[in-house]
Amino acid sequence: MSAKDAPPPLPEPLLVEVADSHTHLDLQSGTVEEALVKAAAVGVTTVVQVGCDVKGSQWAAETAAAHEHVHAAVALHPNEAPRIVLGDPDGWSRQGAREGGGDAALDDALTEIDRLAALPYVRGVGETGLDFFRTGPEGIAAQERSFRAHIEIAKRHGKALVIHDREAHADVLRVLDEEGAPERTVFHCYSGDAAMAEICAAKGYYMSFAGNVTFKNAQHLRDALAVAPLELVLVETDAPFLTPAPYRGRPNAPYLIPVTLRAMAEVRGIGENEMAEAIAVNTARAFDY
């Protein structure tokens, strides 16, 4: 195994236990049990496992049912909706190449997400939203229809809404305004600037920061974190993606939360224990556990 593929070392443990508000254990190497033990060893005792498609959402719900400290979020990722409707000829997603199934196929998939969202171990509906980075203009209608349906599902079941917003800030905020956001709405892997953070704060939306807040070129994220109300700030890995500096490019996992959290405390000018205490309370409030 090259150094580039090697898992980063365990960071110093946090003294205050926290949660990873967004992870994909199904995309990480090793077992769920191994990931949870490693995370707990450094003070990361709770994780929110997030689904991106029907199979992944079913797996998230089953995994949360089997593990006390795993909570599930279920959804069709914004890039998944157009693939269901229009097809996925290059097989980019994990299902391989697929034929388009039209609106009826999207309805079927949303019906299953709705069923899963009712389960007690499922604490969130997401990640849903809009992604104009990977989906072209032809897929936007399917994406927006799916997003609106997820908002309705989250509200009806009283679950948190977990938002994926990539290069679509204005449209995501617009759809939330038009539909009426659920009581608890989380911007996963917050990617906006300080001005957008002020809009989110005014609406009471949670902002979850990932390892990219540590990247050299991400000053806008640090500026956003600096103005976000502390009671609306969460931390996440989005593992196996977005590994924090100095391990960027290597596999991410929940046990690396302390690296990001310490960088966040520095941006805020507070101690890591104060940061961890706020995040622990906020995550439990956001996901109602």
Side-chain angles (χ1 to χ4, degrees):
M1 185 186 290
S2 74
K4 186 114 178 80
D5 303 322
L10 252 67
E12 267 309 292
L14 295 167
L15 299 177
V16 176
E17 294 180 349
V18 296
D20 179 350
S21 78
H22 193 111
T23 196
H24 302 285
L25 294 168
D26 48 331
L27 303 179
Q28 296 163 39
S29 59
T31 66
V32 169
E33 290 72 18
E34 286 163 352
L36 296 177
V37 166
K38 215 168 166 183
V42 296
V44 182
T45 50
T46 304
V47 305
V48 179
Q49 166 63 26
V50 180
C52 292
D53 52 32
V54 167
K55 280 185 198 157
S57 295
Q58 289 165 338
W59 189 88
E62 286 159 18
T63 303
H67 297 275
E68 191 188 346
H69 298 293
V70 178
H71 304 297
V74 299
L76 309 174
H77 189 284
N79 295 321
E80 175 69 359
R83 290 182 189 129
I84 291 171
V85 175
L86 304 171
D88 184 17
D90 58 356
W92 189 90
S93 65
R94 290 184 294 165
Q95 280 91 331
R98 284 182 279 171
E99 294 287 314
D103 282 344
L106 182 56
D107 286 336
D108 289 347
L110 288 165
T111 299
E112 176 61 1
I113 297 301
D114 188 19
R115 182 190 74 79
L116 293 168
L119 299 171
Y121 308 105
V122 173
R123 301 290 183 177
V125 172
E127 55 187 279
T128 180
L130 300 172
D131 185 324
F132 298 160
F133 175 75
R134 195 162 265 127
T135 292
E138 70 292 339
I140 287 174
Q143 228 179 57
E144 194 166 309
R145 183 161 91 83
S146 177
F147 182 26
R148 290 179 191 275
H150 282 83
I151 293 171
E152 190 276 324
I153 290 168
K155 288 198 289 195
R156 187 156 31 83
H157 294 293
K159 304 293 166 94
L161 182 73
V162 178
I163 290 183
H164 170 105
D165 158 29
R166 191 161 187 193
E167 299 186 8
H169 306 320
D171 288 286
V172 167
L173 292 168
R174 169 182 61 80
V175 172
L176 286 171
D177 281 347
E178 287 169 4
E179 295 294 323
E183 197 182 322
R184 291 168 289 116
T185 294
V186 178
F187 273 76
H188 128 72
C189 186
Y190 181 83
S191 60
D193 58 10
M196 180 171 155
E198 284 169 353
I199 295 169
C200 289
K203 294 178 184 293
Y205 301 157
Y206 292 89
M207 290 162 265
S208 183
F209 290 85
N212 53 343
V213 76
T214 67
F215 295 176
K216 274 198 186 73
N217 63 350
Q219 188 57 44
H220 68 291
L221 296 182
R222 292 184 283 278
D223 294 344
L225 172 58
V227 301
L230 191 57
E231 66 274 12
L232 293 176
V233 171
L234 309 180
V235 67
E236 65 173 89
T237 56
D238 198 23
F241 314 108
L242 296 176
T243 313
Y247 308 113
R248 189 174 181 178
R250 286 163 72 177
N252 201 4
Y255 76 88
L256 290 170
I257 280 283
V259 180
T260 301
L261 187 142
R262 288 180 176 122
M264 290 169 67
E266 208 168 294
V267 168
R268 296 289 305 209
I270 60 177
E272 67 179 66
N273 291 351
E274 190 186 337
M275 191 84 217
E277 277 160 16
I279 282 172
V281 169
N282 297 348
T283 318
R285 191 187 333 112
F287 289 96
D288 190 29
Y289 59 79

